[in-house]
Amino acid sequence: MATEKIILGIDPGTTIMGFGIIKVINKQMHFVQMNELMLKKYDDPYTKLKLIFERTIELIDTFHPDEIAIEAPFYGKNVQSMLKLGRAQGVAMAAGLSRQIPITEYMPKKIKMAITGNGNASKEQVAKMLQSVLKLKTLPKNLDSTDGLAAAVCHFYNEGKVELGKSYTGWEAFVKQNPGKINKQ
């Protein structure tokens, strides 16, 4: 009997949220879709967060992923950018958690390393490797969608390995793994 699993990969962002979906059948990866949610035209940050949540729910309800892999925000010098990225990631995670889908976070370097063998690879190198591995005919203009796809492929490659990124199976697991980070009022 064939074993099947669908993995949704998300590259969260407040300007563009990239996502990619793969189907795994008998340990073989198959490309399903990649795309992006364009948020540039919206000025209100709360509208952007609402749209990220709604699009993630729509993807879940359409493709029924078994697992979600999400790129963790990288640590930069701009605190405001980090806060915005963290909110975007949190909203996408909340959408998955609301549907009881296990979520695993991966640092950008870990994703790049899994795809190209080089943790400092460029977005273009990651995209080209995905094009080769998944036999994609063309690449998108914006590479945020390939970043989302890369998170899904990284998750596939890391399956069964002991050291994964942070993983949550629901709100209860999230709260247990993050004591002191949840404001109890």
Side-chain angles (χ1 to χ4, degrees), residues 4-10 20-23 56-69 95-96 99-103 152:
E4 240 181 67
K5 178 183 357 188
I6 295 173
I7 302 170
L8 167 61
I10 298 175
I21 302 163
I22 59 171
K23 182 183 276 192
T56 305
I57 289 290
E58 183 183 323
L59 289 167
I60 291 166
D61 291 348
T62 302
F63 294 98
H64 308 287
D66 298 288
E67 297 170 4
I68 296 174
R99 295 289 201 262
Q100 303 296 311
I101 300 169
I103 298 170

Side-chain angles (χ1 to χ4, degrees), residues 101-146:
I101 300 169
I103 298 170
T104 305
E105 289 180 77
Y106 293 97
M107 296 304 295
K109 279 187 180 275
K110 180 150 182 124
I111 293 172
K112 292 174 181 181
M113 179 64 90
I115 305 303
T116 68
N118 175 1
N120 295 314
S122 68
K123 281 180 170 274
E124 291 78 14
Q125 288 170 315
V126 170
K128 283 290 189 188
M129 186 61 80
L130 288 171
Q131 185 176 25
S132 174
V133 170
L134 295 169
K135 298 170 182 54
L136 305 174
K137 288 181 177 71
T138 60
L139 288 173
K141 186 177 78 163
N142 295 320
L143 298 181
D144 298 273
S145 54
T146 53

